[in-house]
Amino acid sequence: GQSLEQPSEVTAVEGAIVQINCTYQTSGFYGLSWYQQHDGGAPTFLSYNALDGLEETGRFSSFLSRSDSYGYLLLQELQMKDSASYFCAVRDQVQAGTALIFGKGTTLSVSS
Amino acid sequence: EPEVTQTPSHQVTQMGQEVILRCVPISNHLYFYWYRQILGQKVEFLVSFYNNEISEKSEIFDDQFSVERPDGSNFTLKIRSTKLEDSAMYFCASGARGGNQPQHFGDGTRLSIL
């Protein structure tokens, strides 16, 4: 089966840098995605890594190491509005389709 | 920016009743999904729909669930005989193509079963 592990909670202060790790177990692999969710609202796509290395999008970066089955989301220059839940996700391998299988999410709390 | 819209935002229903949750995906998208999120838990995949048929479904998506694309714009999830454990937030999502394309989620329908 597939499983994803990520920390349940992370706390940081404004202006800091925080890294949210995700380890996964899949029989095959089609890339790792990250989504942000504020207060149970719509999950919002942040980034996607199919190949090893770092992808940068503004203050957010995402890293993937396929050999380690590991990735992380890096948030820089933290702002209060970054307080949210962050989910890593992989594509469903069982049916080799496009559905996303999500981790349990990491709640990030940013304080002033 | 185009968005996925869902109605209603909140639905309260008696156990055993049927509910229909409605979604309007982004107009040029081809892949449609339903996910659910029980309060405080992770987002769980229910079903995906492509080319007017179900392409994948999870173990959660049993015979009480069905999906339909009745016209060119709407995408619905029907729960035939609701149970208490169906109480959750239901999210519709759409994607332009499969694979690594991002999925765009609606704001969800909070379903409360009494």
Side-chain angles (χ1 to χ4, degrees):
Chain A
Q2 298 162 257
S3 66
L4 299 101
E5 295 292 329
Q6 50 182 130
S8 58
E9 292 182 16
V10 175
T11 59
V13 297
E14 275 188 300
I17 299 172
V18 73
Q19 179 175 310
I20 299 173
N21 299 320
C22 175
T23 57
Y24 58 86
Q25 287 187 324
T26 62
S27 54
F29 183 71
Y30 294 106
L32 186 70
S33 300
W34 288 92
Y35 282 77
Q36 179 191 59
Q37 185 182 39
H38 279 103
D39 298 324
T44 304
F45 173 79
L46 291 177
S47 69
Y48 171 79
N49 295 71
L51 303 175
D52 292 350
L54 193 67
E55 294 283 341
E56 297 180 72
T57 309
R59 294 188 296 114
F60 293 2
S61 303
S62 57
F63 172 83
L64 176 66
S65 169
R66 287 174 295 170
S67 60
D68 295 322
S69 297
Y70 163 75
Y72 66 71
L73 180 69
L74 190 73
L75 299 87
Q76 302 182 73
E77 300 172 20
L78 281 174
Q79 303 174 9
M80 297 290 285
K81 68 178 182 179
D82 297 328
S83 293
S85 292
Y86 294 84
F87 295 86
C88 56
V90 295
R91 279 174 57 192
D92 176 18
Q93 301 304 307
V94 174
Q95 298 176 79
T98 61
L100 290 173
I101 305 301
F102 286 84
K104 293 183 178 179
T106 299
T107 301
L108 171 63
S109 300
V110 181
S111 58
S112 56
Chain B
E1 184 175 328
E3 57 182 24
V4 176
T5 57
Q6 291 186 241
T7 55
S9 57
H10 191 190
Q11 173 84 45
V12 181
T13 302
Q14 292 288 330
M15 185 173 58
Q17 296 297 303
E18 174 183 288
V19 295
I20 298 176
L21 310 183
R22 303 180 189 280
C23 169
V24 179
I26 294 173
S27 62
N28 63 344
H29 283 186
L30 302 176
Y31 292 80
F32 313 116
Y33 308 86
W34 284 100
Y35 293 85
R36 80 173 186 190
Q37 186 177 31
I38 295 170
L39 186 63
Q41 299 186 23
K42 66 178 180 179
V43 177
E44 300 176 291
F45 166 68
L46 292 178
V47 64
S48 62
F49 196 85
Y50 170 71
N51 200 25
N52 286 319
E53 62 182 19
I54 291 174
S55 50
E56 310 156 81
K57 58 183 180 179
S58 72
E59 292 177 351
I60 302 169
F61 193 86
D62 60 22
D63 291 345
Q64 69 165 148
F65 292 92
S66 61
V67 290
E68 219 178 25
R69 188 153 163 82
D71 53 43
S73 59
N74 290 285
F75 181 50
T76 63
L77 175 70
K78 181 191 290 188
I79 309 176
R80 255 180 286 282
S81 178
T82 50
K83 299 176 282 194
L84 293 176
E85 53 264 40
D86 294 329
S87 295
M89 182 73 92
Y90 288 79
F91 291 105
C92 173
S94 68
R97 293 186 294 277
N100 64 337
Q101 297 303 312
Q103 294 182 17
H104 299 260
F105 285 73
D107 287 336
T109 293
R110 179 164 299 284
L111 178 62
S112 300
I113 307 299
L114 304 179

